[in-house]
Amino acid sequence: MSVDILVVAEQRDGVLNRSTLEAVVAGQELGKQLGKEVALVALGKGISSLAEELTSKGVKEVLTVDDDKLSDYTPDGYAGALQQVIAAENPAYVLFSHTYTVRDYAPKLAMKLERPLVSDCVRYKMDGNALVFVRQVFQGKIDADFTFEGDGPHLVSFQVGAFNADNLETSGAAGAVRNLSLSMDNVEIRTKVLDVFEGVKQEVDLSKADRIVSVGRGVKKSENIEMMKDLAAALGAEMGASRPVCDDGWLPLDRQVGSSGQTVAPKLYFAVGISGAIQHIVGMKNSGTIVAINKDPHAPIFDIADYGIVADLFEVIPEVISALKES
Amino acid sequence: MPEQLSFCKSLFAGAIEQEIVFPYPRIDAEEEENLSMILDSLRQFAKDHVNSSEIDRSGEIPKEILGGLAELGVFGMSIPEEYGGYGFSSTAYNRVFEEMAAIDASLAVTMGGHQSIGLKALLLHGSEEQKKRYLPKLASGEWFAAFALTEPGAGSDAAGIQTTAVKDESSGDYILNGNKIWITNGGFADFFTVFAKTPMGDGGEMKISAFAVTRDMEGVASGKEEEKLGIHGSSTTELTFDNVRVPASNLIGPLGKGFKVAMEVLNSGRLGLAAACAGGTKKLTALSVDHAMNRKQFNTPIANFEMIQGKISDMVVDAFVVESMVYLTTGLIDRGDVDYSLESAICKVYGSEAAWRTVSEAMQIAGGLGYSAEYPYEQALRDVRINLIFEGTNEVLRAFIALAGMQEHGEYLKKVGKALQNPLADLGVLTDYTLGRIKSRVSTNRLEDVHSALSEQTGKFEEYAKELHVAVEKVLTKYRKDVIHQEFLLQRISDMVIDLFAMVSVITRLDSMLKEKGEDNVQRELTICQTFCEDAWRRIRRNSRQIENNIDASRKKIAESTCETGGYDLDLIG
Amino acid sequence: MKIIVCMKQVPVQDSLLKITDDSRWVQEAELNYEINESDHYALETALLLKEEHGGEVVILTMGPRRVKEAIKQGLAKGADRALHINNESFTTLDIFINAKLLAAAIQQEEADLVLTGLQTDDYGFGQTGVILAEKLGLPHASIVMEILKQDGSIKVKREMESGWFQSVELPLPALLTIQSGISQIRYATIKGIMMAKKKEIKELSLSDLGLAEGDVDDSTSSLKFHKLYVPEKTKQAELLEGDPKDVAAQLVHKLKNEAKVF
């Protein structure tokens, strides 16, 4: 028995990373196009209940590798195990969600298999019979098309948020769990995991905020943050920020929105002086109403905003504040 | 003094010394590469650490900024490597200085007070021992330098200083007494180049000498910080010397030759100021363009309105001209055998006035916002204004440009008699009355082999260079030694020379660019050059015509009568 | 400790990019280049380690002649010497080939630590560092934020999502990919810039790396790159126009009456 489309599940302490489901959605859609079935593979130690949970995620099979060497995530362990799984199952496609963990081991796996990985794809499309994978280059400004030639396994990782986990099809029969017993003896784990911990204690839970005013590099210097705080006050909003603003210490780290900060979905999101780098967008694109204020009319933020103002934010924001106060 | 070439002085005599200004000077590729890296570093540093409006508000440059800049090494750029510096050419030094001015005016003034003038006398005339003693500390930024010439009774008239340094025969030390005012870096500098009068021989004749004075000498004190219109972050104070004991070994240059030292320092210092003006002009142009493109009125960016376009064009042309003049002149300094005193004065006058025009128009483009203290324009306006005043007011420099040029006009010197051989003696700060004669050369009144795309501009330059010569002859013939009092005319003549030097600066820059890159690749620059030259020759023609046909007498009368009545007393109502 | 820092030159952030007529790349003629952002931090990390533990920092870069500028910047900041693989004649998007070239250069050096940036700001595959580690047979950690050198090993803090971190220990030699923003990048000083002139920049050709033309042939790769294009907008914001006061009034009105967020 073998699988067609293999999706690699990501878990920590037996808890599934939600972006895995996005990759399953990608697998399901791809499977429909190609007439292929989807299987999940989960790695870890003592993950039987996770495996059980996964059977209901609209996949034909759930493969598990349960081994002491996989109790903590290490690139050696994951790449070593997956190399064997892929060799044994010979799937046409191996799909990942492009998480920080996948970034850490998937290229290594690719090298071991000598199969290229097309990483961080935002979508796929059919061009005739050819399956085209689209990924962004130049920080999201340009798209690039890639295809695979020849037989698989072909390795693809999808950007977090590229597929919507809500579209998961779970109507079919539950998948079967299949435990794989691999020989992990030859897999040498060179990195020793000492600790996994939450960095800054998140003082602010932005994910619960109704309104957020987020600021980016466009505010230029720290003293301009005050004006943005006034805007937030006028809106009754929490302050958020893009990474550079937090790196520079203009706002504390727990205000950071995006892939390395918090993921938010408020009713109203003001993006002020934020160009819309993908790392930021993934953290806020599910917001209800998005307002973008930026000087650069080509800023990608305008592609996801509902209302855009192309202007000098230092001219506009004071007017917005007073208009808000008046109303 | 050895005979030296001088482009502008030769113009007075009707000669175009093309070889001095053609081809446009370039620094070598390696220095240029270093320079571009240094500018990158400086910009990055400024972006991360320098908040110009905060400097303006707080009235001081944070220590960390000066420390950071010291670490970058900018305080020792012009100091030779053997004394802990980096031995930059004048071109490279001034280019970095230009960038500092674009970052923050106070920073540039501090840097200029230190390096353009504060330690310059030491560089030019210091003894080996003095250089070894002081320059390494000054290069590292551990010490800052200041230039102490101006006194309460001696501003533009620097020859009139009262500070004295009298030799104490028993110890051999000089005893320094007096007050200096408006001293940049006066509040915190550790090293001062101080100019004082010393008795010469038995006759008791007092002549100016330069001394290296340090903060740790007893009797040196700074007054309180001046409250100024702009450049708030720079330190400007009074300095007092109360029986300060200065060792004889601290005399910079020969005894009694201090005035010449001061003039030399200022000749090169002025150029830094002009470079700073180029930096300010460029920065303001960028601000204005940004605003004009983003600000919409009547549903269109105001950059689409011709009155705004006219202003932007003027700014760009001015920036291009100042840049062309300044780096032509630094090139003259770097080649070493040219008298550049007139050229650097011209750069200072043109550069400071261009920056002033630019800041005024930038504020105008920004409209009401421009007047608000929340925007950078009003600070820029306050900061830029000083440039028309310090290191020689533009009025005194104009007189200098005209008179020093005429003094070199050899043939006429003889005719107008001995008085004019030293016409500058009364002019104080600007005057270097030991100027050497210009080297006589086989000169032409043509510019040869200039790229054909510039033939019209070249023709106009030649034509109006001749006009200048004719005007100078007229004025000298008519007024002879009294010419020094004909300031309306001196102003016109200097304005003619300023425009001629500006023209030749852009022509030679363009000529070199055209020959290197081809006409198709320098179209924007060519348009700027054509635009400027067209304006310039018309101004020269007007000035030339007004030498004889003018309303000077009326203006003089109005001024004199108003001075008599003590102000405007012609009220229409009430 | 000998540290090799892999650095790449990329178009300046915020460059206006125009795609070439054949859709294969962007027009390079008018572009300015800079050191890739996270590579800056990789270099800074290396320089800090050298300051603390001594040793040597060697820059490794691949690219056309223009990358000399980036190399000189790195040398000016304090790197000791540089290796430059001039790949003008064999530029490829194939990461395996690029990693092979870099690995060949690194293998000649016997470094204790190899650092790369997290990813480049041009292609942004984010794979080269990790693939390079596998090629070299080195353990790696990616998205590294802190490094503590111990005897024969290092302890690093690596970033995970959503504010979580992992602390891991790796034996040396090892390869780390460095996250942006983790330190204050130093500035090239005038002294450093002048000294950089005297530092060695070694040009490496294919044969210097012990490779042949066939080793850089990407025609057999199963991954094919087709074209670049400006993405179609799936959604475009409604742009509000007018003077600031106008725009502000429109916005507040729309938020209230259209979006109904108040």
Side-chain angles (χ1 to χ4, degrees):
Chain A
M1 194 167 176
S2 71
V3 297
D4 297 331
I5 298 174
L6 182 64
V7 177
V8 182
E10 184 170 328
Q11 58 87 17
R12 186 166 69 228
D13 298 334
V15 179
L16 186 71
N17 186 320
R18 195 174 150 77
S19 65
T20 297
L21 300 180
E22 298 176 9
V24 175
V25 171
Q28 287 177 338
E29 292 184 11
L30 205 58
K32 257 182 231 157
Q33 292 274 356
L34 305 173
K36 289 179 190 295
E37 308 256 23
V38 182
L40 266 165
V41 59
L43 314 177
K45 177 67 194 164
I47 51 168
S48 53
S49 68
L50 173 73
E52 209 44 56
E53 181 193 337
L54 292 177
T55 58
S56 66
K57 301 302 180 191
V59 294
K60 190 180 163 207
E61 264 194 309
V62 177
L63 312 183
T64 61
V65 183
D66 204 307
D67 194 284
D68 285 341
K69 286 191 173 174
L70 299 172
S71 64
D72 281 319
Y73 162 75
T74 61
D76 284 338
Y78 268 48
L82 284 171
Q83 180 185 15
Q84 296 180 57
V85 173
I86 290 164
E89 304 294 325
N90 196 28
Y93 289 94
V94 182
L95 307 185
F96 309 83
S97 176
H98 194 69
T99 63
Y100 280 25
T101 302
V102 166
R103 286 157 77 153
D104 192 53
Y105 74 81
K108 180 182 175 74
L109 173 65
M111 186 69 245
K112 280 183 179 296
L113 296 165
E114 297 194 38
R115 308 295 307 196
L117 160 71
V118 54
S119 51
D120 207 15
C121 292
V122 288
R123 61 182 182 277
Y124 71 85
K125 59 188 179 187
M126 298 301 293
D127 182 8
N129 281 332
L131 189 53
V132 180
F133 292 96
V134 184
R135 63 185 308 283
Q136 297 174 313
V137 292
F138 294 102
Q139 302 179 294
K141 282 186 243 174
I142 291 178
D143 281 358
D145 285 355
F146 290 85
T147 58
F148 289 106
E149 264 179 17
D151 295 334
H154 299 311
L155 277 51
V156 183
S157 70
F158 285 104
Q159 195 168 85
V160 176
F163 290 84
N164 188 342
D166 293 344
N167 296 339
L168 190 71
E169 290 239 9
T170 54
S171 52
V177 175
R178 178 153 59 99
N179 293 309
L180 304 176
S181 54
L182 307 177
S183 157
M184 291 295 285
D185 295 347
N186 293 330
V187 177
E188 188 198 352
I189 311 288
R190 292 168 295 181
T191 53
K192 193 160 100 195
V193 178
L194 304 172
D195 194 12
V196 177
F197 58 99
E198 199 170 4
V200 191
K201 183 84 201 103
Q202 301 282 345
E203 303 254 330
V204 203
D205 186 358
L206 290 179
S207 68
K208 298 206 168 62
D210 255 1
R211 297 172 192 170
I212 294 176
V213 170
S214 259
V215 297
R217 266 189 176 139
V219 301
K220 289 189 180 142
K221 40 193 170 186
S222 74
E223 72 234 47
N224 294 334
I225 297 283
E226 281 311 309
M227 188 194 281
M228 308 308 145
K229 285 185 176 161
D230 292 347
L231 174 64
L235 280 165
E238 288 284 353
M239 285 297 290
S242 69
R243 181 163 191 145
V245 167
C246 294
D247 277 347
D248 286 343
W250 299 350
L251 278 172
L253 275 171
D254 59 6
R255 296 283 169 180
Q256 189 174 315
V257 172
S259 55
S260 46
Q262 305 195 48
T263 300
V264 301
K267 288 203 183 81
L268 176 63
Y269 190 90
F270 260 68
V272 183
I274 288 177
S275 65
I278 187 63
Q279 292 84 349
H280 185 76
I281 302 248
V282 298
M284 49 63 75
K285 67 178 177 187
N286 293 325
S287 303
T289 299
I290 300 173
V291 177
I293 304 175
N294 203 293
K295 224 150 85 171
D296 175 9
H298 305 296
I301 192 75
F302 289 120
D303 300 344
I304 62 150
D306 297 283
Y307 302 111
I309 299 175
V310 179
D312 181 343
L313 59 95
F314 304 109
E315 289 178 20
V316 170
I317 299 289
E319 296 295 346
V320 174
I321 294 171
S322 53
L324 284 167
K325 282 181 179 158
E326 275 166 33
S327 69
Chain B
M1 178 151 187
E3 291 192 337
Q4 283 198 313
L5 300 165
S6 167
F7 183 80
C8 286
K9 287 178 181 176
S10 302
L11 283 182
F12 281 83
I16 298 173
E17 298 279 3
Q18 183 173 2
E19 178 271 331
I20 303 178
V21 293
F22 279 73
Y24 195 84
R26 294 261 313 248
I27 53 175
D28 70 59
E30 188 178 297
E31 190 173 21
E32 190 155 357
E33 192 183 277
N34 288 345
L35 188 54
S36 105
M37 287 172 74
I38 292 159
L39 292 174
D40 280 348
S41 264
L42 188 59
R43 287 188 197 112
Q44 191 60 45
F45 176 82
K47 202 174 143 222
D48 296 344
H49 300 289
V50 182
N51 180 342
S52 183
S53 60
E54 182 55 33
I55 290 175
D56 180 58
R57 257 195 309 276
S58 69
E60 64 182 345
I61 301 169
K63 287 273 165 294
E64 309 81 72
I65 293 181
L66 291 179
L69 289 171
E71 208 163 297
L72 288 184
V74 295
F75 295 121
M77 288 187 291
S78 64
I79 295 172
E81 289 182 70
E82 63 261 44
Y83 307 113
Y86 302 106
F88 277 24
S89 66
S90 171
T91 300
Y93 168 75
N94 281 294
R95 179 62 187 88
V96 178
F97 191 60
E98 177 197 320
E99 202 63 34
M100 289 185 79
I103 292 164
D104 180 68
S106 293
L107 211 53
V109 167
T110 303
M111 164 83 160
H114 169 70
Q115 205 166 184
S116 292
I117 55 177
L119 56 77
K120 191 79 184 179
L122 205 53
L123 276 186
L124 294 172
H125 294 286
S127 68
E128 187 60 26
E129 185 274 326
Q130 288 169 344
K131 288 179 179 176
K132 278 194 179 130
R133 185 150 36 119
Y134 298 122
L135 287 177
K137 282 182 184 155
L138 293 165
S140 70
E142 183 189 342
W143 274 20
F144 279 85
F147 180 82
L149 175 64
T150 303
E151 296 186 6
S156 292
D157 176 16
I161 61 170
Q162 300 298 319
T163 297
T164 56
V166 179
K167 196 162 193 168
D168 168 24
E169 291 303 338
S170 63
S171 64
D173 295 342
Y174 286 91
I175 309 298
L176 189 64
N177 279 293
N179 293 315
K180 298 287 178 182
I181 56 166
W182 305 121
I183 305 307
T184 299
N185 297 347
F188 68 99
D190 309 278
F191 176 93
F192 307 90
T193 302
V194 179
F195 295 88
K197 285 198 163 161
T198 43
M200 303 293 290
D202 297 335
E205 189 196 359
M206 301 288 274
K207 279 198 160 182
I208 297 175
S209 301
F211 294 92
V213 176
T214 53
R215 169 83 63 189
D216 53 16
M217 292 177 182
E218 210 178 315
V220 177
S222 306
K224 68 169 181 50
E225 290 291 341
E226 296 291 344
E227 283 183 29
K228 308 183 291 279
L229 174 71
I231 51 170
H232 286 163
S234 69
S235 163
T236 312
T237 68
E238 193 176 333
L239 281 179
T240 56
F241 305 106
D242 180 13
N243 285 313
V244 178
R245 196 166 271 283
V246 183
S249 62
N250 281 29
L251 177 69
I252 303 175
L255 193 68
K257 297 287 184 196
F259 194 77
K260 192 178 148 43
V261 172
M263 292 312 107
E264 255 185 276
V265 168
L266 289 175
N267 277 341
S268 77
R270 262 172 217 137
L271 205 49
L273 214 146
C277 290
T281 303
K282 289 183 194 174
K283 176 180 159 186
L284 286 160
T285 305
L287 273 175
S288 292
V289 167
D290 188 64
H291 181 80
M293 306 259 297
N294 285 296
R295 170 75 173 166
K296 283 187 183 168
Q297 288 290 277
F298 310 102
N299 285 322
T300 182
I302 62 170
N304 292 334
F305 295 114
E306 290 186 351
M307 285 193 219
I308 302 296
Q309 290 171 346
K311 294 177 198 301
I312 292 173
S313 165
D314 289 348
M315 290 178 178
V316 174
V317 170
D318 262 340
F320 190 83
V321 172
V322 178
E323 205 182 35
S324 304
M325 292 203 289
V326 167
Y327 296 109
L328 173 60
T329 309
T330 59
L332 302 183
I333 297 181
D334 289 332
R335 65 177 264 177
D337 60 344
V338 180
D339 169 6
Y340 59 85
S341 55
L342 247 61
E343 287 77 6
S344 75
I346 289 171
C347 289
K348 192 272 189 180
V349 171
Y350 191 97
S352 59
E353 289 171 7
W356 181 240
R357 283 192 289 273
T358 299
V359 76
S360 172
E361 293 295 23
M363 180 171 277
Q364 195 67 21
I365 290 173
L369 300 178
Y371 201 70
S372 157
E374 283 190 32
Y375 289 80
Y377 305 96
E378 66 87 39
Q379 184 192 339
L381 185 116
R382 288 185 284 105
D383 284 345
V384 160
R385 190 59 183 81
I386 186 61
N387 293 303
L388 294 92
I389 299 171
F390 65 4
E391 295 195 38
T393 65
N394 286 11
E395 290 67 30
V396 170
L397 288 178
R398 278 195 164 85
F400 166 64
I401 291 163
L403 289 172
M406 289 197 261
Q407 186 186 28
E408 292 300 335
H409 193 351
E411 229 181 294
Y412 282 86
L413 283 180
K414 288 173 203 146
K415 289 188 192 165
V416 297
K418 199 165 177 276
L420 197 60
Q421 280 184 1
N422 223 345
L424 307 175
D426 296 335
L427 261 174
V429 73
L430 313 154
T431 13
D432 178 353
Y433 37 61
T434 56
L435 287 170
R437 290 281 315 274
I438 56 165
K439 211 171 186 173
S440 58
R441 301 167 53 84
V442 184
S443 309
T444 70
N445 52 7
R446 307 271 328 220
L447 287 173
E448 310 282 351
D449 299 322
V450 178
H451 192 280
S452 59
L454 298 165
S455 54
E456 202 183 319
Q457 291 69 39
T458 306
K460 288 294 181 198
F461 176 79
E462 291 164 350
E463 183 182 343
Y464 286 97
K466 212 172 288 167
E467 257 326 287
L468 170 74
H469 179 58
V470 171
V472 165
E473 287 196 6
K474 274 186 204 154
V475 169
L476 283 176
T477 311
K478 186 165 174 191
Y479 295 100
R480 299 180 158 246
K481 69 175 185 179
D482 196 41
V483 72
I484 60 170
H485 300 122
Q486 303 302 315
E487 290 190 8
F488 286 117
L489 299 181
L490 295 180
Q491 179 165 14
R492 290 195 186 95
I493 284 175
S494 65
D495 283 344
M496 289 170 78
V497 184
I498 290 168
D499 270 329
L500 282 168
F501 184 61
M503 275 176 89
V504 86
S505 299
V506 292
I507 290 171
T508 172
R509 175 172 173 184
L510 255 294
D511 178 57
S512 291
M513 291 180 81
L514 282 160
K515 286 169 182 166
E516 191 187 334
K517 297 183 178 169
E519 198 171 333
D520 288 347
N521 296 314
V522 295
Q523 282 302 316
R524 288 181 62 208
E525 292 91 340
L526 197 54
T527 308
I528 292 171
C529 171
Q530 288 160 346
T531 306
F532 175 74
C533 289
E534 194 66 23
D535 258 352
W537 71 255
R538 285 168 203 278
R539 267 197 306 269
I540 300 172
R541 185 176 65 183
R542 190 173 62 240
N543 276 314
S544 172
R545 286 175 180 168
Q546 289 180 359
I547 295 263
E548 286 180 315
N549 186 2
N550 58 52
I551 49 168
D552 294 348
S554 312
R555 295 176 73 205
K556 194 176 174 73
K557 208 175 283 171
I558 291 169
E560 284 173 349
S561 67
T562 307
C563 287
E564 264 169 47
T565 59
Y568 188 84
D569 60 342
L570 308 171
D571 305 69
L572 177 63
I573 298 164
Chain C
M1 185 151 71
K2 184 171 182 179
I3 308 170
I4 295 185
V5 184
C6 301
M7 296 174 77
K8 186 178 182 186
Q9 206 183 30
V10 296
V12 168
Q13 276 186 30
D14 308 331
S15 294
L16 189 62
L17 300 167
K18 289 183 207 147
I19 295 168
T20 51
D21 291 341
D22 68 358
S23 299
R24 300 287 295 179
W25 195 228
V26 291
Q27 294 175 18
E28 297 198 335
E30 283 174 26
L31 286 180
N32 289 316
Y33 290 83
E34 64 186 2
I35 295 173
N36 183 52
E37 187 176 5
S38 55
D39 298 355
H40 264 303
Y41 290 93
L43 175 64
E44 182 62 33
T45 303
L47 295 171
L48 289 171
L49 284 169
K50 182 191 155 182
E51 277 166 10
E52 204 181 328
H53 304 288
E56 189 184 22
V57 174
V58 183
I59 291 171
L60 169 60
T61 187
M62 184 156 68
R65 196 170 316 133
R66 61 171 157 75
V67 307
K68 282 263 163 43
E69 200 186 307
I71 292 176
K72 282 179 185 160
Q73 237 185 74
L75 294 175
K77 289 188 180 187
D80 298 284
R81 60 192 172 86
L83 308 170
H84 173 204
I85 304 170
N86 189 328
N87 69 345
E88 240 150 323
S89 59
F90 47 87
T91 309
T92 172
L93 278 179
D94 188 314
I95 307 168
F96 291 154
I97 293 176
N98 287 329
K100 189 192 310 182
L101 289 157
L102 295 171
I106 294 169
Q107 270 155 354
Q108 298 178 355
E109 291 285 341
E110 293 185 12
D112 299 295
L113 199 56
V114 180
L115 302 183
T116 72
L118 166 70
Q119 66 180 41
T120 53
D121 297 334
D122 52 3
Y123 316 135
F125 288 114
Q127 297 188 44
T128 307
V130 175
I131 287 177
L132 187 56
E134 181 63 19
K135 275 251 180 232
L136 292 165
L138 298 179
H140 79 269
S142 64
I143 325 183
V144 167
M145 307 199 66
E146 283 172 22
I147 299 171
L148 183 68
K149 187 186 176 291
Q150 298 164 321
D151 202 15
S153 70
I154 42 172
K155 238 166 86 174
V156 307
K157 173 178 157 187
R158 53 180 299 270
E159 185 175 339
M160 298 164 81
E161 268 124 350
S162 313
W164 283 75
F165 299 91
Q166 194 188 36
S167 167
V168 297
E169 189 175 319
L170 298 89
L172 289 176
L175 182 143
L176 307 174
T177 81
I178 304 294
Q179 172 66 294
S180 287
I182 62 164
S183 52
Q184 169 70 53
I185 293 172
R186 70 192 61 200
Y187 311 96
T189 63
I190 296 178
K191 188 176 183 181
I193 289 165
M194 315 258 292
M195 270 167 48
K197 284 195 295 261
K198 293 167 195 143
K199 294 177 177 173
E200 180 196 31
I201 302 174
K202 193 163 156 194
E203 286 266 359
L204 297 170
S205 65
L206 271 186
S207 61
D208 292 332
L209 296 170
L211 298 171
E213 295 285 332
D215 291 312
V216 292
D217 175 12
D218 61 5
S219 62
T220 58
S221 168
S222 61
L223 184 62
K224 298 293 175 200
F225 162 64
H226 291 274
K227 61 172 180 180
L228 296 180
Y229 52 97
V230 176
E232 278 173 40
K233 313 236 157 172
T234 46
K235 175 181 171 188
Q236 174 67 40
E238 178 184 349
L239 294 181
L240 311 180
E241 296 187 350
D243 68 27
K245 212 179 172 71
D246 252 21
V247 169
Q250 285 177 52
L251 177 65
V252 172
H253 179 82
K254 282 178 186 292
L255 289 177
K256 210 188 258 175
N257 301 305
E258 273 180 25
K260 298 189 175 20
V261 290
F262 296 131

